[in-house]
Amino acid sequence: MTESHSELPQLPAKLPLLALVGLKDPEKGDWAELRAIQYARLHRYWRSRAVAHAIAVIATVALFAGKVPPAILVPWAVAVAAALGFSLRLDRGLADLDGRSMSRQEFSRQALGVAGTAALWAVPMLVFNYWGTPSDQFAVWALVAMLVASSAFSMAAAPMATIVFGGIAGTAAVLSFLLARQPALAATAGMYVGVVIAGALNLARSYLAANLATKIAEAGVAEKSQVVSLLLREFEENAADWLWQVDTNRRIRSASPRFAYALGRDIEAVEGESFIKLIAGAAWESGQFAPSLHDLAERLKRRESFSNLMVRVEVGGGRRWWEISGTPMRDDAGEFIGFRGVGSDVTHERESNEKIAYLARYDTLTGLPNRLMVTESLKEALKYAEQWRTRCAFLMIDLDRFKAVNDSLGHQIGDQMLAQVSQRLEELATDNEMCGRLGGDEFAVVIRDASDRNAVASFARRVIDSLSQPYDVENHKLYIGASVGSAMGPRDGTTVEALMRNADLALYRAKDEGGCQHCVYEPTLHAEAEERRQLESALRFATDKGELLLNYQPVVDSKLETVVAFEALVRWQSAEHGFISPAKFIPLAEDTRLIVPIGEWVMREACKEATRWPDHIKVSVNVSGEQLLEPGFSQTVVRALSDTGLPAHRLEVEVTESIFVRDAQVARQSLEEIIALGCTIALDDFGTGYSSLGYLRAIRFSTIKVDRSFVQGAAQNSPESLAIIRAVVAMADSLDMTTTAEGVETAAEAAMIRDMGCTKIQGFYFGRPMPAAEALGVAQRSKIGREAA
């Protein structure tokens, strides 16, 4: 259909870059005519170009007046004006290109004129900056950048002009910034010019597309209007589109080469064949058409127009997606003679959209449905339960101790473990359950039909048992657990938000009870959550209101039974809630990170009180993992010691083994900094946590505190507890460490601990936690007893 206009240049979408800018002849069409189309409009913008350059010249002269010698500055300005005038005169000489072709000599002169102007603008950047400052250099570049952009706009149809001007000016700017040792600005200038030139090339293609369409329309004005419209349509559509035409029997007529290519056949093999048969593939024999293909056949049968119809076809041995539009054709008498339309292969776009839709609803790490799809499924389950008067259930799952694995072994190991968790959940799920990942180490299960309450509890137990089995990840055998909170719909919530919130409250209860538990939502959980919220709010201001206080429990020498230390224990007497147990507010403080400011206050107050005691008595201060991992924790200790005047050797910092689980390297560094100050470190609750022996080798602890559970077990003649205490004492002696037995409540227990070799004893037998004034009295009496001894 384009043979009658073969003298015109080829379509811009196919035109090579060198042919577009004028450095190469197009494969089809006339070079001179193509250049005439590009340069015919340049003269219309000569005034705006002149104004832009004039402003830039004036600004440059004003910028370097008094810096650059007038003998250089003035001739440069005159030269720019002259070169610009010459270039503009050349452009105005091309005003008659609408009626003629452009010669190669005119093309070269125009490019040289632009090059001369650009070369003169390179002078301020490469020469004037010798007298100027860095800010002057940047200002000149800003002016040149403005001219480059102005050139790209005013000479968009002729990209060679923009390439020449931008290339010379941009190169000068890059060299200028490199000479000034500003590589970042040089790179920025280079990228800016590159972007402008790329934009100019795109604008040139668009300009040619519009003008060539006009040329084709003018050349085919003698042809019938339908043929002309088809030419324009085929021209205007991109290379992926094609025209199709069928007769009254829906057989292909006047097949275009692009259409035959889309069908994977030669034009001769396509002509006269059934349109539906060609695109149905194997379905033609069976008659089992895809819904979209059946829709196309029905529209053709009913002779109705359609637009952008998505059709799944089988052509060339593969499955593709086409977007087809069609309109019935009628002759001069109004009789139907067939269909004509346009189509394009949109398989890539369709697959991209499907991938985007998948990513929007599925977790990329585990392949499980994500939060969006979980909420949609829960919404459907609630709707189903309401419709059929049944129940659904929502389970929230949180992995116990997963954070320890993630922090100690890295996110790569953690991600592999999450993938294994998802596989185990999928293995447990049936058609009645849908498992998904909410984010992090939180998963969820939607049970569509939960009429059997025991089935929900049974499924939760299977989840806990399965996820608690060991994991083999890159030669690591890892152990975690799972806590589950469940809520029933519509009993525990008639909306997705309510059901998820209530399941989360049940999950929090399961975690609070130690993990590896399944808790069912109860209305009382709302009251507990509200109480927690109120306690958190009150705790934020407890220090400022003076509601926190310290009690001190004595630690005595096992042989002399004289006080050698006091352990500082924080208490909270809330004006609003009364006395709050440490077992309740300490975990809350750690969860909300309020433990950091509270811990600083405890450290300062304990050191301050210890200065009133005899010099031989130490003060022990408990430090949580949140405090120890806080940047600059050692500086907190330094400030407490310097502000109170307490010698460093009288401060003992107590930590538990759990601090090493989150970030062992940071914890070890913080403890070594504290030891370097002269303080001592005690390992509390020894034997109840993780790899204790490894920590003893890594850190120079001064004291090991034997947990009260072992002391109570030994008092009841438990062989295991007795063996553990003896082993700890022997190990501490070999490492030159002292041992403190906690939880000693009777004289018999004290005697037993003494006989087993513990060096220090702490417990109610020698004193309960007491106020500061009472502790001072005990300390003074201990000093008298020590001196008497």
Side-chain angles (χ1 to χ4, degrees):
M1 286 179 290
T2 59
E3 292 178 356
S4 60
H5 307 297
S6 59
E7 72 279 1
L8 292 174
Q10 64 185 137
L11 303 182
K14 296 182 179 179
L15 197 63
L17 182 62
L18 293 179
L20 178 66
V21 300
L23 298 179
K24 182 181 178 182
D25 290 341
E27 294 180 4
K28 296 181 180 179
D30 181 59
W31 180 93
E33 184 174 353
L34 185 63
R35 300 288 83 77
I37 294 174
Q38 288 182 311
Y39 286 79
R41 303 291 187 272
L42 289 188
H43 69 281
R44 296 183 178 182
Y45 302 98
W46 72 270
R47 289 185 179 85
S48 60
R49 289 175 57 201
V51 170
H53 280 269
I55 293 173
V57 168
I58 293 171
T60 303
V61 171
L63 186 66
F64 289 100
K67 300 177 183 178
V68 177
I72 297 177
L73 189 60
V74 173
W76 170 81
V78 173
V80 171
L84 181 62
F86 174 77
S87 179
L88 293 178
R89 190 177 66 209
L90 291 177
D91 292 349
R92 295 178 66 185
L94 303 175
D96 61 340
L97 284 179
D98 280 334
R100 65 179 180 88
S101 299
M102 183 177 185
S103 67
R104 295 182 184 272
Q105 185 178 9
E106 290 176 317
F107 175 79
S108 300
R109 281 204 306 267
Q110 201 278 338
L112 288 174
V114 173
T117 306
L120 287 171
W121 274 109
V123 173
M125 291 182 287
L126 294 174
V127 178
F128 290 4
N129 286 329
Y130 176 79
W131 290 279
T133 63
S135 61
D136 295 337
Q137 183 183 23
F138 186 82
V140 171
W141 162 240
L143 292 172
V144 172
M146 179 267 293
L147 293 177
V148 172
S150 173
S151 172
F153 173 78
S154 61
M155 297 187 288
M160 175 57 77
T162 301
I163 293 173
V164 171
F165 189 90
I168 296 175
T171 301
V174 171
L175 290 174
S176 173
F177 286 126
L178 288 176
L179 292 174
R181 297 183 178 181
Q182 295 182 354
L185 290 178
T188 302
M191 288 188 291
Y192 172 83
V193 173
V195 170
V196 171
I197 291 175
L201 291 172
N202 286 332
L203 287 174
R205 288 189 185 275
S206 300
Y207 179 85
L208 280 177
N211 282 273
L212 282 174
T214 303
K215 291 286 185 179
I216 292 176
E218 292 173 351
V221 81
E223 299 179 2
K224 291 184 178 181
S225 59
Q226 281 187 326
V227 177
V228 173
S229 66
L230 283 175
L231 286 171
L232 289 174
R233 183 61 179 270
E234 186 173 8
F235 171 78
E236 290 170 354
E237 295 290 342
N238 58 50
D241 292 0
W242 29 261
L243 298 169
W244 61 274
Q245 182 175 325
V246 297
D247 58 19
T248 55
N249 295 318
R250 297 185 289 281
R251 295 183 177 275
I252 302 296
R253 299 301 178 195
S254 304
S256 68
R258 289 188 202 169
F259 183 37
Y261 178 80
L263 290 168
R265 303 187 179 212
D266 295 331
I267 293 181
E268 294 78 9
V270 169
E271 191 71 24
E273 291 291 328
S274 169
F275 184 26
I276 300 299
K277 178 181 178 180
L278 289 175
I279 63 178
W284 177 259
E285 299 296 334
S286 64
Q288 301 296 320
F289 292 169
S292 59
L293 188 59
H294 185 269
D295 187 19
L296 173 63
E298 287 297 313
R299 289 174 185 265
L300 293 175
K301 183 178 180 181
R302 294 194 300 265
R303 301 178 181 180
E304 61 184 34
S305 298
F306 53 90
S307 177
N308 301 326
L309 182 66
M310 299 294 297
V311 181
R312 195 185 76 185
V313 302
E314 290 189 17
V315 294
R319 181 172 294 175
R320 311 290 294 177
W321 281 95
W322 285 1
E323 185 177 70
I324 303 177
S325 299
T327 303
M329 295 188 300
R330 301 187 182 277
D331 59 17
D332 294 339
E335 294 295 325
F336 173 75
I337 58 174
F339 263 90
R340 176 182 292 145
V342 63
S344 61
D345 190 317
V346 293
T347 306
H348 178 71
E349 292 82 350
R350 175 85 179 198
E351 291 175 348
S352 297
N353 292 336
E354 289 177 350
K355 184 176 182 180
I356 292 172
Y358 176 85
L359 293 176
R361 284 175 166 74
Y362 287 87
D363 179 59
T364 55
L365 175 63
T366 64
L368 292 178
N370 61 11
R371 179 180 289 271
L372 174 62
M373 192 166 180
V374 168
T375 56
E376 290 177 349
S377 299
L378 182 56
K379 184 177 181 181
E380 289 297 319
L382 281 169
K383 183 179 179 181
Y384 177 86
E386 181 180 0
Q387 180 180 356
W388 298 103
R389 305 291 182 181
T390 182
R391 295 187 182 91
C392 64
F394 182 70
L395 280 63
M396 289 192 72
I397 305 167
D398 187 83
L399 303 182
D400 302 329
R401 301 184 300 278
F402 172 76
K403 193 175 190 311
V405 174
N406 214 27
D407 291 343
S408 59
L409 298 180
H411 293 285
Q412 184 175 1
I413 299 294
D415 288 348
Q416 293 182 48
M417 176 173 278
L418 289 176
Q420 292 190 26
V421 168
S422 67
Q423 292 175 0
R424 296 185 185 185
L425 289 175
E426 286 185 309
E427 291 172 358
L428 292 174
T430 66
D431 292 339
N432 191 40
E433 297 94 22
M434 190 207 73
C435 301
R437 183 187 179 207
L438 299 180
D441 60 348
E442 281 193 342
F443 294 82
V445 178
V446 177
I447 301 180
R448 183 179 180 86
D449 185 359
S451 301
D452 185 355
R453 298 185 183 181
N454 293 329
V456 175
S458 175
F459 185 83
R461 176 44 55 188
R462 292 201 303 273
V463 167
I464 294 172
D465 292 342
S466 176
L467 299 187
S468 298
Q469 297 301 311
Y471 297 80
D472 292 317
V473 184
E474 292 191 5
N475 299 321
H476 297 282
K477 186 170 285 294
L478 305 173
Y479 296 85
I480 60 173
S483 299
V484 180
S486 65
M488 304 286 290
R491 183 196 67 184
D492 299 330
T494 57
T495 65
V496 170
E497 294 76 12
L499 208 57
M500 294 183 74
R501 181 178 65 249
N502 292 339
D504 192 34
L505 290 174
L507 174 62
Y508 186 84
R509 164 70 70 82
K511 299 285 287 186
D512 199 38
E513 291 182 355
C516 285
Q517 301 284 332
H518 167 225
C519 286
V520 179
Y521 168 75
E522 299 173 359
T524 56
L525 294 179
H526 273 294
E528 294 177 5
E530 178 61 20
E531 180 188 15
R532 174 183 170 87
R533 187 193 65 79
Q534 292 180 2
L535 286 179
E536 178 185 342
S537 178
L539 186 58
R540 291 186 180 277
F541 304 99
T543 304
D544 296 337
K545 292 181 178 180
E547 295 178 351
L548 297 181
L549 54 93
L550 292 182
N551 282 356
Y552 300 88
Q553 185 173 25
V555 179
V556 303
D557 184 280
S558 62
K559 295 180 179 179
L560 300 177
E561 295 190 353
T562 57
V563 177
V564 294
F566 283 96
E567 181 179 1
L569 302 169
V570 65
R571 299 292 184 260
W572 181 20
Q573 184 66 41
S574 172
E576 182 179 357
H577 304 283
F579 178 77
I580 308 298
S581 169
K584 178 175 287 189
F585 79 82
I586 292 297
L588 177 62
E590 291 180 336
D591 289 345
T592 58
R593 292 188 55 80
L594 291 173
I595 195 67
V596 175
I598 291 175
E600 292 182 8
W601 178 86
V602 170
M603 180 74 69
R604 184 174 59 255
E605 290 298 314
C607 291
K608 179 180 178 181
E609 185 62 28
T611 58
R612 304 174 62 191
W613 303 337
D615 294 341
H616 71 282
I617 297 179
K618 291 186 175 183
V619 62
S620 296
V621 179
N622 291 283
V623 173
S624 74
E626 293 292 338
Q627 292 175 262
L628 198 64
L629 298 179
E630 187 75 9
F633 171 72
S634 60
Q635 295 302 314
T636 301
V637 178
V638 170
R639 285 194 299 272
L641 294 174
S642 61
D643 291 347
T644 61
L646 182 71
H649 71 273
R650 292 185 60 196
L651 173 62
E652 185 170 65
V653 174
E654 290 191 17
V655 297
T656 62
E657 298 164 321
S658 62
I659 64 169
F660 297 101
V661 177
R662 291 186 54 187
D663 196 330
Q665 183 176 358
V666 174
R668 178 177 178 179
Q669 181 179 351
S670 297
L671 291 178
E672 288 178 347
E673 291 174 355
I674 295 171
I675 293 172
L677 296 174
C679 302
T680 56
I681 307 296
L683 183 59
D684 199 3
D685 299 337
F686 181 76
T688 63
Y690 303 90
S691 306
S692 305
L693 296 179
Y695 302 139
L696 291 178
R697 183 179 61 182
I699 302 295
R700 291 176 294 133
F701 292 101
S702 62
T703 301
I704 299 176
K705 302 189 75 172
V706 181
D707 188 69
R708 66 179 65 250
S709 61
F710 299 128
V711 173
Q712 296 302 316
Q716 298 173 8
N717 294 318
S718 167
E720 293 82 3
S721 297
L722 290 168
I724 289 174
I725 294 177
R726 291 192 182 100
V728 170
V729 171
M731 181 177 57
D733 289 342
S734 66
L735 295 174
D736 196 24
M737 299 178 184
T738 62
T739 51
T740 300
E742 298 180 295
V744 175
E745 299 182 354
T746 65
E749 292 175 359
M752 177 193 66
I753 291 299
R754 185 182 303 110
D755 293 340
M756 295 180 73
C758 284
T759 51
K760 292 178 285 187
I761 303 175
Q762 181 179 356
F764 289 174
Y765 177 68
F766 292 101
R768 294 175 177 271
M770 59 191 72
E774 188 175 339
L776 178 60
V778 172
Q780 292 173 343
R781 288 193 297 274
S782 176
K783 177 181 179 183
I784 296 173
R786 184 169 182 267
E787 292 174 349

